[in-house]
Amino acid sequence: MPNTSYDALIIGSGQAGNPLATALAKAGRKVVLVEENKLGGSCINYGCSPVKAMLASAERAHQLRTADDYGLGRQEPAVDMAAVIARKDVIIGEMRKGVRSNLTKETAGITVLHGHAAFSSPRTVQVELENGKIQELKAKKVFINTGTRAAIPDIDGLEGLPYLSTTQLLDLKELPEHLVILGGGYIGLEFSQLYRRLGSKVTIVEAAAQLLEREDDDVCQALTEVLTQEGVDVVLGAKVRKVSHHDGTFTLTADTRSGERRLRGSHLLVATGRTPNTDTLGLETAGVELDEKGYIRVNERLETNVRGVYALGDVHGGPQFTHISYDDYRVVRDGLLHRKWRSAKQRPLPYCVFTEPQLGRIGLNEEQAKEEGIAYRVATMPVSTIGRARETGRTAGFWKVLVGPDDRLLGATVLCAEGGEIMSMFQLMMAGKLKYQQLQNMVLAHPCWAEGLNNVFAKLDKPK
């Protein structure tokens, strides 16, 4: 069995592992990257990019249906689901080619292996290659970037049924007649609007009392109203205790506040969270500690309890966003190559849910500020007051800002068309430690969405 030694061994080709491989190789390190599935990680292959590509198709369908509102005449779109998938596949294929080219052609010093890696000692890994052969790798430092997979709930009857994960749904070339989505988190919401706009009947089944349970109540209520107005059926407080499948129909038996309900659909998407890909890595052999949910424990430098072994991206738990995974790479790169360590435990957490309107978040919301005992003033502005919103007909949602005693922004919630872009403006304000009066008096181009920055702080008041 051949033995090969490297400066760095990266397990997993995700949004942290790939740029780290490139940075280390350019710094003269000998690097090997092992990927069991497709290069690019979850974001490119079955996460952000494919979903957003398909959401673009759904948005066009919605524009056709609502064209009468703009004096153009309503038109029912003829949805070709296979063509929607094909467009998505072309986009993802190009991204995947770019990753492969960067790792194998554009940067010298990187070896890419396809196979399954498992530790045999703290810094030794055995890789079962695609041809069945075993290759042993040794490295001075090891970086685990294996991500997560769909978590399947323990529900009577579910095991063995032909339900769909998000990965499988993204390749489904037929339009579901009635898609039942188990889970009302960010993933469930994006898919619900996507398939409803493409023409499916859609039902969301959520055990909690509201969608997006980590958001403020007013945000959850507003998003629920947006979805229900488009025809999505939202069933809250529903604990599913049994699932069956007969004659092409799924039946979910759920306990609700109003008694037992049976919810039926042609397709079932299970979107109840994620679980880390740590169970087949041989981490116990390496002595790497996991938390109670199977995520790898790391310190502020993203190093595990085993010296020289790091965990990057979703596999170490916490917020599971591509941009956080990419920042993990920067934390490790700057620390190892430039001796400029900063804490991965203390950094801004911007994120966006790509429903329409989008939900952009940065900093604290009201519930978090109350829990932490932080004094704040709050202002809420309906999107309909913005000129750009009225002109484009995209008036749903609101902006909400929290301001501290020092007149600086504590956080912002933007439920609005282009909410992610607007949220990023608030993030820049926070990074620059600007006082809100500077935005109130800033000259902003008319008629842009950004003009709302002049007005959103007008009615700041103490929380009710």
Side-chain angles (χ1 to χ4, degrees):
M1 181 170 62
N3 183 310
T4 307
S5 296
Y6 292 86
D7 296 310
L9 163 61
I10 300 171
I11 306 174
S13 169
Q15 297 303 305
N18 293 336
L20 182 61
T22 301
L24 292 175
K26 287 182 176 179
R29 309 295 201 272
K30 184 181 179 184
V31 179
V32 59
L33 184 148
V34 182
E35 174 55 56
E36 185 173 7
N37 297 304
K38 297 174 181 177
L39 292 176
S42 62
C43 179
I44 288 178
N45 292 298
Y46 52 86
C48 314
S49 297
V51 176
K52 278 52 179 179
M54 291 174 65
L55 279 168
S57 296
E59 182 181 2
R60 299 304 188 280
H62 182 68
Q63 289 172 347
L64 287 173
R65 287 197 188 91
T66 58
D68 197 40
D69 297 338
Y70 298 81
L72 301 176
R74 184 184 188 279
Q75 181 178 339
E76 186 63 28
V79 176
D80 182 346
M81 201 64 205
V84 172
I85 298 297
R87 174 183 179 274
K88 176 264 298 181
D89 287 344
V90 169
I91 294 170
I92 302 312
E94 289 300 317
M95 290 181 172
R96 203 178 290 147
K97 286 180 184 177
V99 171
R100 179 174 292 279
S101 177
N102 184 57
L103 291 174
T104 60
K105 296 180 181 179
E106 299 172 23
T107 308
I110 302 174
T111 299
V112 176
L113 299 178
H114 288 274
H116 175 73
F119 284 87
S120 55
S121 73
R123 279 180 290 281
T124 303
V125 167
Q126 291 190 353
V127 180
E128 183 178 353
L129 301 172
E130 291 178 316
N131 59 12
K133 294 183 178 180
I134 302 295
Q135 184 166 346
E136 186 173 270
L137 309 174
K138 290 182 178 292
K140 297 175 183 176
K141 294 189 183 297
V142 180
F143 305 90
I144 304 167
N145 186 216
T146 51
T148 62
R149 62 183 184 274
I152 307 303
D154 184 15
I155 299 175
D156 183 26
L158 183 61
E159 185 177 357
L161 296 186
Y163 61 82
L164 298 167
S165 67
T166 55
T167 306
Q168 293 166 323
L169 183 58
L170 287 168
D171 289 330
L172 188 67
K173 296 181 180 180
E174 62 186 49
L175 187 66
E177 179 184 348
H178 185 174
L179 177 64
V180 177
I181 300 176
L182 187 57
Y186 309 125
I187 295 172
L189 265 60
E190 289 185 1
F191 274 108
S192 72
Q193 192 175 53
L194 191 167
Y195 278 90
R196 179 60 190 148
R197 288 183 166 187
L198 290 177
S200 297
K201 185 177 180 181
V202 178
T203 300
I204 297 175
V205 183
E206 169 58 45
Q210 61 185 22
L211 301 175
L212 300 180
E213 56 184 341
R214 291 185 180 88
E215 304 297 336
D216 286 338
D217 290 349
D218 52 359
V219 174
C220 300
Q221 292 165 6
L223 261 176
T224 302
E225 289 175 9
V226 166
L227 295 175
T228 54
Q229 286 172 4
E230 290 196 20
V232 176
D233 186 18
V234 179
V235 183
L236 300 173
K239 185 177 181 180
V240 177
R241 56 182 174 81
K242 185 178 181 181
V243 180
S244 61
H245 183 254
H246 298 290
D247 297 327
T249 298
F250 285 92
T251 300
L252 284 68
T253 303
D255 294 328
T256 72
R257 287 167 290 187
S258 58
E260 181 181 282
R261 283 192 63 179
R262 293 191 177 183
L263 306 160
R264 294 179 173 85
S266 60
H267 295 73
L268 173 62
L269 169 65
V270 177
T272 53
R274 310 287 295 176
T275 191
N277 292 320
T278 55
D279 49 333
T280 62
L281 294 176
L283 295 176
E284 65 283 353
T285 302
V288 174
E289 292 181 358
L290 306 177
D291 68 13
E292 63 280 359
K293 294 183 178 180
Y295 291 96
I296 299 174
R297 297 185 188 275
V298 294
N299 61 20
E300 64 179 13
R301 295 183 174 187
L302 300 171
E303 190 171 22
T304 70
N305 63 298
V306 177
R307 188 174 178 83
V309 179
Y310 297 78
L312 311 176
D314 298 351
V315 76
H316 65 65
Q320 297 184 10
F321 298 110
T322 295
H323 45 282
I324 297 299
S325 296
Y326 187 77
D327 194 55
D328 282 357
Y329 142 69
R330 290 185 294 213
V331 168
V332 172
R333 175 202 63 190
D334 293 347
L336 294 179
L337 296 183
H338 309 302
R339 298 185 182 278
K340 294 180 180 179
W341 285 103
R342 62 181 169 87
S343 175
K345 305 287 187 179
Q346 298 175 344
R347 52 187 169 183
L349 177 58
Y351 61 89
C352 183
V353 183
F354 286 87
T355 50
E356 190 181 2
Q358 296 173 8
L359 171 62
R361 273 282 313 280
I362 180 66
L364 299 175
N365 63 12
E366 283 201 84
E367 188 172 329
Q368 291 168 330
K370 290 174 182 176
E371 287 177 356
E372 296 181 27
I374 295 175
Y376 69 93
R377 289 166 290 163
V378 61
T380 300
M381 181 184 72
V383 169
S384 58
T385 64
I386 302 172
R388 184 69 176 167
R390 294 194 296 270
E391 293 150 6
T392 60
R394 303 165 80 184
T395 56
F398 60 88
W399 297 13
K400 181 163 64 170
V401 292
L402 274 64
V403 172
D406 61 356
D407 288 344
R408 291 184 171 89
L409 191 67
L410 295 172
T413 299
V414 185
L415 181 60
C416 178
E418 309 304 336
E421 312 300 334
I422 298 162
M423 174 272 294
S424 298
M425 299 179 197
F426 285 118
Q427 184 178 357
L428 289 170
M429 175 189 177
M430 295 172 71
K433 298 182 180 180
L434 301 181
K435 293 189 175 183
Y436 78 86
Q437 293 92 341
Q438 293 173 267
L439 268 73
Q440 275 189 314
N441 298 313
M442 187 176 290
V443 179
L444 297 167
H446 174 80
C448 293
W449 289 104
E451 274 189 306
L453 297 171
N454 286 158
N455 304 319
V456 68
F457 300 99
K459 296 182 180 180
L460 277 175
D461 204 351
K462 294 180 179 179
K464 296 180 180 178

